[in-house]
Amino acid sequence: MSEIKPEGPAAAADSSEEQDWAAAKAFFDSLKTKVPRPPKPQFAVTIAVSSRTLFNMVAERKIYEEEGLEKYVAFQVEHEDEPLSPGPAFPFVKALMNVNSRLRQLYPDSEELFDIVLMTNNHAQVGVRLINSINHYGLTIERFCMTGGQSPIGYLKAYMTNLYLSKDSEKVTDAIEEEIAAATMFMRQSETELSDTQLRVAFDGDAVLFSDESEIIVKQHGLDTFFEHEKKFENKPLAQGPLKCFLEALGKLQRKFYAKNERMNCPIRTFLVTARSAASSGARVLKTLRSWGLEIDEALFLAGAPKGPLLQKIKPHIFFDDQMFHIEGAKELGTISAHVPYGIGQKYNRGKLIEEPAEKK
Amino acid sequence: MVSVVLNTDVKQEDAGNAVVVAVTSRALFESGLEDDDAGVWKLSLAFPLLQAVQKVNDCLLEKNPAESLLLDVLLITTDSQHQKLSSLLISSTKHHGLGVGKFCFASEETFVDSLLENNVQLFLSTNKDEVQTASQKGVPSAMLEARKKDSSVSCQREDLRVWLDEDLISLRDSASEPGSRHSPQRFLAKLGEIRQRFSVSDSPLWISLVILHGSRENCGKRLKTLRSLGVSVDDVYCLAGAPSEPLLSVLQPHFRFNCCFMD
């Protein structure tokens, strides 16, 4: 699983790092706490969630925007014994925890687990309320990074993050530019009941798992050219997209269950939900996945039909898509959606090219 | 023989309220490398720290020209070789216009006593043994950190970045004298007081708390302990055993202070 994370420092440094880790492990075990020991980051699948995705902080955010930072911090401190209510990433985090307990049962000594990190640019004083809220729900989050206003990007790498979820699209865009899988989360508009025994993750194809090369063709040359192109290049794998590595990480954990004969009872299930049609452009996608050695449990080709109703049936804990149009549709019908701000899709809104905004900083 | 000399180029601070920070001569100067034109020593690792301390003092005085809670820097020699080079040290300091208030010329055997006599509340060195010795005798001490040129964390004019941690593992291995419990708390309280002079978002002093080991329970407890000492930490990182080097290179603290929180 070390391929998921870049190689650590030179071998000479490794043995002192090993010693440090052994000491840290021993120390944690000596605490006699019921909390399971967090895994070694090098081997874990690290998911960084922001405070506003983990908890619902809409009211508090309003105070920050209308009354400023000092009043916001003071408010949080005043209410620090009141737990916050769950945010959009909450069900996803609970599902990750469930996978971890299954993994720990089957592989008690393995460090190949999900590691959930709270990654927020909140001030440390707000941290007490966040910690109290985490305690209230019994979430297994032992690693935090509360940056006191600094951008989390440098810290994402320091914590070896595999996936970053935030409500701030600017931070998410910065993360993707640094080649860290990331998405902007949205609260769903209605509640559908989600599985509490299986983590279900749905991905769009183009510009999420795959690059936006084909989407560029659709936007610039139309569907017919797109179909011709995809048929012609059916056997040429697409380039990878920002969430490919996360799918890969899920696949590695799934195989641990298969190895123990738990395929039928695997607590992770992945879905591809694409606007491509099976007949004309689907083959390339499946062949690309195969060439990467990746499996996806269910591939659903919609041939342009809306994704919302299908996702309503799938009930994923999270659905990744690069186009806001699909995110809106999914949200309306009760699916927790996460926007991946990558590729040509960002320049279009419902098929029309957006006017270029003034140059940002 | 230990002697204390005042730096006449620098305004002396009110001894009652100032926080005395001692820095070793070996940390501040690269000895043996003389600047040919002026015959003085070149600056070393501790220079950014002095600049940051200067910034904090400047900002404090800007807010209140009569401020007495300032950082007072004492330059101390900790070996007999440097002890003999007092005039060169003084001239080098003055040449570079450094904000050093006092000089203290001590040797390996006498420097800890000097620290205690001069009411030093923080001792900074690049020598691990010196830090340990001073710490065991009750002087809050820390190793100065080497700083990278580019950091992904932006500081405008060098803010003073302090990393507080609690290395519970190595703490068990090095016993310190019972009487020393109070000193780290005293230093932290002063640090907290200085931090309180500035607002949440606009401060030349930045205090980071890093929880190296254990679970989130530690984290909540430490935030509250520090709060009760009057220290409002800016950012907090709970590593739960994860390696700290990556975080160290992002945060770029001037020094890392191992607080001995005693429950």
Side-chain angles (χ1 to χ4, degrees):
Chain A
M1 194 110 136
S2 49
E3 308 95 80
I4 291 186
K5 301 249 163 99
E7 278 299 304
D14 274 348
S15 71
S16 82
E17 208 198 282
E18 280 306 311
Q19 280 183 339
D20 288 342
W21 175 250
K25 255 169 73 164
F27 178 81
F28 195 98
D29 292 338
S30 75
L31 289 179
K32 295 188 178 38
T33 166
K34 279 185 286 192
V35 168
R37 183 174 32 81
K40 191 170 189 209
Q42 186 75 29
F43 302 124
V45 179
T46 303
I47 317 272
V49 294
S50 77
S51 55
R52 290 192 293 147
T53 56
L54 186 60
F55 297 118
N56 183 335
M57 296 186 34
V58 171
E60 286 80 3
R61 178 76 182 176
K62 204 156 173 261
I63 296 175
Y64 168 69
E65 280 165 2
E66 290 172 7
E67 299 181 54
L69 182 61
E70 303 253 5
K71 287 260 155 67
Y72 163 78
V73 174
F75 179 87
Q76 294 281 37
V77 172
E78 217 181 285
H79 296 263
E80 70 189 16
D81 290 322
E82 292 165 31
L84 294 155
S85 33
F90 193 89
F92 180 59
V93 166
K94 297 269 333 196
L96 295 174
M97 283 167 55
N98 178 54
V99 175
N100 271 0
S101 33
R102 290 280 307 271
L103 280 169
R104 285 191 166 104
Q105 275 168 19
L106 294 172
Y107 300 89
D109 297 318
S110 176
E111 307 284 354
E112 291 171 347
L113 296 162
F114 285 116
D115 184 22
I116 308 159
V117 174
L118 176 64
M119 175 74 61
T120 172
N121 70 341
N122 256 305
H123 193 267
Q125 295 313 311
V126 178
V128 178
R129 188 175 190 195
L130 292 170
I131 293 172
N132 286 344
S133 303
I134 290 172
N135 287 343
H136 175 81
Y137 296 104
L139 303 176
T140 52
I141 301 179
E142 305 302 326
R143 295 196 165 119
F144 312 140
C145 179
M146 302 182 193
T147 72
Q150 319 269 9
S151 160
I153 302 307
Y155 302 93
L156 288 174
K157 290 196 169 155
Y159 278 71
M160 305 186 98
T161 307
N162 291 99
L163 175 68
Y164 171 53
L165 300 173
S166 170
K167 278 202 123 189
D168 184 334
S169 54
E170 266 186 51
K171 295 195 180 77
V172 168
T173 306
D174 290 341
I176 291 186
E177 274 164 26
E178 294 291 318
E179 302 192 352
I180 300 169
T184 318
M185 289 209 74
F186 291 87
M187 201 71 199
R188 52 190 174 155
Q189 268 140 264
S190 53
E191 293 256 322
T192 51
E193 230 183 84
L194 300 171
S195 169
D196 56 6
T197 52
Q198 186 181 64
L199 168 68
R200 296 161 76 84
V201 183
F203 298 88
D204 172 34
D206 296 286
V208 173
L209 288 178
F210 314 112
S211 75
D212 65 342
E213 56 191 273
S214 298
E215 218 160 277
I216 291 176
I217 297 174
V218 176
K219 295 283 194 281
Q220 292 178 351
H221 303 288
L223 270 178
D224 289 331
T225 314
F226 167 71
F227 291 143
E228 270 171 40
H229 184 271
E230 292 306 287
K231 268 235 145 66
K232 187 168 170 208
F233 291 99
E234 198 180 282
N235 293 310
K236 177 170 184 270
L238 291 157
Q240 67 183 43
L243 257 56
K244 177 249 185 184
C245 290
F246 181 58
L247 176 66
E248 193 168 18
L250 291 177
K252 290 212 150 119
L253 291 180
Q254 280 178 310
R255 282 201 285 286
K256 297 189 73 157
F257 288 96
Y258 304 163
K260 295 268 181 173
N261 244 340
E262 293 276 346
R263 192 184 267 268
M264 294 316 286
N265 202 14
C266 184
I268 301 174
R269 194 159 184 85
T270 54
F271 301 82
L272 173 68
V273 180
T274 173
R276 285 180 181 243
S277 81
S280 54
S281 49
R284 191 177 184 196
V285 151
L286 295 174
K287 289 187 180 189
T288 303
L289 286 171
R290 195 188 296 163
S291 77
W292 290 344
L294 295 189
E295 280 185 30
I296 200 144
D297 294 303
E298 291 183 41
L300 300 130
F301 298 95
L302 289 163
K307 298 187 182 183
L310 184 65
L311 287 164
Q312 226 183 2
K313 295 274 185 291
I314 294 174
K315 300 197 218 284
H317 292 92
I318 192 167
F319 161 59
F320 296 101
D321 200 301
D322 66 306
Q323 308 213 44
M324 277 310 293
F325 167 64
H326 290 301
I327 297 286
E328 307 272 334
K331 244 175 48 165
E332 273 163 36
L333 295 180
T335 295
I336 303 174
S337 317
H339 179 234
V340 182
Y342 169 80
I344 192 110
Q346 308 324 303
K347 299 199 174 69
Y348 285 79
N349 183 18
R350 293 170 189 270
K352 294 206 169 62
L353 183 63
I354 300 173
E355 292 273 306
E356 280 292 290
E359 269 299 300
K360 276 174 101 171
K361 56 179 171 192
Chain B
M1 201 201 82
V2 173
S3 55
V4 175
V5 173
L6 300 180
N7 182 356
T8 49
D9 285 0
V10 164
K11 180 171 178 274
Q12 291 302 315
E13 291 166 22
D14 173 0
N17 214 5
V19 179
V20 183
V21 177
V23 177
T24 64
S25 52
R26 291 217 179 261
L28 187 55
F29 294 114
E30 280 183 46
S31 59
L33 293 172
E34 292 193 10
D35 180 334
D36 289 319
D37 295 335
V40 293
W41 278 340
K42 288 209 172 120
L43 292 169
S44 180
L45 208 83
F47 179 54
L49 170 86
L50 255 64
Q51 285 182 305
V53 164
Q54 194 60 54
K55 182 180 181 187
V56 173
N57 283 346
D58 289 344
C59 292
L60 283 166
L61 289 167
E62 221 178 276
K63 287 218 172 236
N64 175 10
E67 180 65 77
S68 59
L69 178 63
L70 297 169
L71 296 166
D72 188 11
V73 180
L74 171 84
L75 183 64
I76 185 166
T77 59
T78 51
D79 63 77
S80 31
Q81 200 187 28
H82 267 213
Q83 190 182 28
K84 296 187 195 116
L85 300 166
S86 54
S87 52
L88 185 50
L89 278 170
I90 295 175
S91 59
S92 302
T93 302
K94 290 188 175 190
H95 171 82
H96 291 292
L98 299 176
V100 169
K102 295 182 186 64
F103 301 92
C104 180
F105 302 106
S107 68
E108 300 89 330
E109 294 88 19
T110 58
F111 82 91
V112 183
D113 291 326
S114 304
L115 292 173
L116 291 164
E117 275 163 24
N118 283 284
N119 195 29
V120 167
Q121 288 172 45
L122 178 68
F123 170 60
L124 297 170
S125 169
T126 43
N127 181 316
K128 205 167 167 192
D129 294 325
E130 283 174 7
V131 168
Q132 206 162 15
T133 310
S135 199
Q136 282 173 354
K137 297 278 181 187
V139 181
S141 313
M143 287 284 289
L144 274 165
E145 294 289 324
R147 318 199 69 235
K148 271 193 338 226
K149 291 231 167 82
D150 322 289
S151 168
S152 52
V153 173
S154 68
C155 340
Q156 294 125 332
R157 201 184 120 215
E158 200 69 275
D159 291 335
L160 180 60
R161 306 188 70 89
V162 179
W163 159 310
L164 302 178
D165 67 28
E166 182 185 34
D167 192 346
L168 290 166
I169 291 177
S170 69
L171 209 60
R172 277 203 295 229
D173 304 331
S174 63
S176 48
E177 289 184 1
S180 67
R181 294 291 170 269
H182 304 295
S183 309
Q185 296 192 337
R186 205 164 51 113
F187 165 65
L188 288 173
K190 285 274 173 164
L191 198 69
E193 227 186 299
I194 294 178
R195 180 66 187 84
Q196 291 286 69
R197 298 280 200 264
F198 304 101
S199 70
V200 173
S201 51
D202 182 31
S203 169
L205 169 64
W206 188 273
I207 308 176
S208 309
L209 174 64
V210 182
I211 309 288
L212 297 167
H213 309 294
S215 66
R216 69 170 181 267
E217 239 188 271
N218 274 33
C219 193
K221 262 202 277 191
R222 291 311 166 228
L223 281 171
K224 290 192 174 160
T225 306
L226 284 169
R227 217 192 254 174
S228 69
L229 285 174
V231 183
S232 182
V233 160
D234 291 286
D235 47 349
V236 54
Y237 306 90
C238 202
L239 292 173
S244 60
E245 286 74 41
L247 188 63
L248 190 60
S249 54
V250 174
L251 284 179
Q252 291 280 284
H254 288 91
F255 60 89
R256 287 187 282 170
F257 185 66
N258 188 353
C259 318
C260 340
F261 294 108
M262 286 322 207
D263 292 315

